[in-house]
Amino acid sequence: SLEESSRLVDSYDDDVDIPVAEWIPDRESRPEEEPDAPNPSTALLAAGFVASLVSTLALSRLVLEVAPMPTALAAVQCAAAAAMVLIVRAFVASPNESTTAGQCVHFASVPLALVCCILASSELAASAGLNARVLVAALSPVAVSVADRFLVGDQPSARGAVALAVVLAGGVYACYATFAWTKVAATWSAATFAVQTYELVWVKMVMERVHMSVWARVFVTNFVAAALLAAVVRSSPEYGRYTAVQHALASLPDARAGAVIGASCVSWLLLSLAGFKLRDQLSATSFALVTALSFFAFALLPLVLPILARPSDLGLPQQLVLGASAIVALIYTPVRKHAPKLDPNDEVDRAVKEANRMIAEADELVAAAGGQ
């Protein structure tokens, strides 16, 4: 109003700095949502992420049975996802979307963490099977919650703590007894656990500091990861199996082989989109819980689709334990929007711009009032 603008100008003194702090949001006094208030859109997005991850794992299992080249398959999926992003954005471009080279450089640690997770998970699956992967997925949320507490300042709510305990107890009970405790399996389990925990925490921290659109994040991550994975394949024993894989794929009907590989690439793209969007809305701990529940669901999938059953999978008693744990954890997992930590530098910049805008408006109003 004119009275407010006049009062603002009257209080202005050229020799006194503008109290910028008045325009800086106080993080301590910001209104926050109820800690366990469910958010329907976030829950729907989480369900889409779980479905994408389960379908990607299932389709990849079918491909790897014929072509045992997990790193090469991941490289193909990443490259296809990056290409599909370019195609989609060529037809559906956002005029306000811009990504700088500096943002891409600062975001480069994300695809590097993803590549490390893919390599460690591939070795773990080859040396220990699905039960070890589920066990690592059950242990990771607890480690992520500890890292969240000390690095970010977040701590799980009461419901979140129940979900963590249920996932941990169910995963350990179901998989520990059937785990093949060889030296190689134990080594890759520890490596996968460390890399996955680091990836879950670090990617969330990078996303809060490097502001990019979801499409840009998906493209940069998959493009860089495809290049790194291709370099790994070229220098790994998988490259020597290329000819044998060609013959194996040639023995299949072209439609079936192409459809399964193509479906896995589309599923990987959907997983990337849903994953980055979900990370924006959840804390690292909640996202780790959703990831663990996805592996629980994949372990239960052979009960619904017997074609995916393998001798190395969990037995029926273990699957029942995982199913019960997943249901209880699903009820208590805090699927809610997570208020991101604001960058103080960005806050100051926005506050200064807001202060200058308000002063300019006040000057214009006072000048107009004086003219009248």
Side-chain angles (χ1 to χ4, degrees):
S1 66
L2 181 61
E3 292 79 10
E4 292 175 344
S5 303
S6 301
R7 190 163 56 254
L8 175 64
V9 174
D10 292 338
S11 63
Y12 175 77
D13 189 346
D14 291 334
D15 297 328
V16 179
D17 292 335
I18 301 175
V20 177
E22 294 181 3
W23 286 278
I24 299 179
D26 185 2
R27 183 176 299 171
E28 298 295 333
S29 61
R30 280 188 305 171
E32 295 186 356
E33 300 178 356
E34 291 296 324
D36 296 313
N39 186 276
S41 62
T42 306
L44 184 62
L45 183 61
F49 172 81
V50 172
S52 300
L53 181 52
V54 172
S55 61
T56 300
L57 292 172
L59 292 168
S60 298
R61 168 176 278 193
L62 294 176
V63 174
L64 293 176
E65 287 186 342
V66 180
M69 299 176 66
T71 308
L73 176 61
V76 171
Q77 290 171 337
C78 290
M84 285 187 283
V85 169
L86 287 180
I87 294 172
V88 171
R89 301 308 286 168
F91 293 97
V92 188
S94 175
N96 298 324
E97 181 180 319
S98 61
T99 303
T100 64
Q103 289 176 315
C104 295
V105 171
H106 288 99
F107 202 73
S109 60
V110 172
L112 181 60
L114 173 64
V115 169
C116 293
C117 274
I118 291 174
L119 296 177
S121 299
S122 300
E123 294 295 336
L124 178 60
S127 61
L130 177 62
N131 55 353
R133 193 66 189 86
V134 173
L135 180 60
V136 170
L139 292 171
S140 294
V142 178
V144 172
S145 67
V146 175
D148 249 357
R149 177 67 182 87
F150 289 100
L151 297 179
V152 185
D154 289 340
Q155 57 184 8
S157 61
R159 293 175 63 89
V162 172
L164 286 171
V166 170
V167 168
L168 178 63
V172 171
Y173 179 81
C175 302
Y176 181 83
T178 59
F179 186 81
W181 287 102
T182 64
K183 183 177 181 180
V184 174
T187 301
W188 281 114
S189 297
T192 304
F193 170 75
V195 170
Q196 181 171 303
T197 302
Y198 167 79
E199 191 266 349
L200 289 167
V201 176
W202 178 251
V203 171
K204 178 65 178 178
M205 294 175 66
V206 172
M207 287 176 59
E208 290 181 347
R209 287 163 173 77
V210 183
H211 303 289
M212 301 168 66
S213 69
V214 174
W215 289 99
R217 288 169 178 167
V218 172
F219 174 75
V220 171
T221 300
N222 284 283
F223 181 80
V224 176
L228 294 175
L229 289 170
V232 172
V233 171
R234 183 62 182 85
S235 58
S236 70
E238 285 190 14
Y239 190 75
R241 297 197 294 267
Y242 177 69
T243 304
V245 168
Q246 276 185 312
H247 290 302
L249 290 176
S251 64
L252 294 176
D254 293 338
R256 178 187 170 189
V260 174
I261 295 176
S264 71
C265 293
V266 174
S267 181
W268 178 262
L269 173 62
L270 296 177
L271 175 62
S272 301
L273 291 170
F276 278 118
K277 200 166 185 61
L278 189 61
R279 286 178 193 260
D280 267 334
Q281 299 190 14
L282 295 182
S283 66
T285 302
S286 295
F287 184 78
L289 280 170
V290 174
T291 302
L293 292 177
S294 302
F295 279 97
F296 282 21
F298 178 66
L300 298 173
L301 196 58
L303 293 176
V304 182
L305 298 174
I307 191 177
L308 295 173
R310 301 296 179 269
S312 60
D313 288 345
L314 298 175
L316 183 59
Q318 288 78 23
Q319 289 176 325
L320 293 177
V321 171
L322 280 186
S325 302
I327 292 174
V328 176
L330 187 62
I331 295 174
Y332 283 91
T333 297
V335 181
R336 60 184 176 84
K337 284 193 174 181
H338 173 70
K341 301 297 181 182
L342 300 178
D343 189 342
N345 295 328
D346 289 345
E347 288 185 272
V348 172
D349 184 63
R350 288 195 300 269
V352 172
K353 289 179 181 178
E354 180 68 11
N356 292 334
R357 184 188 64 78
M358 293 177 64
I359 291 174
E361 289 180 356
D363 288 340
E364 292 177 1
L365 290 173
V366 172
Q372 293 177 355

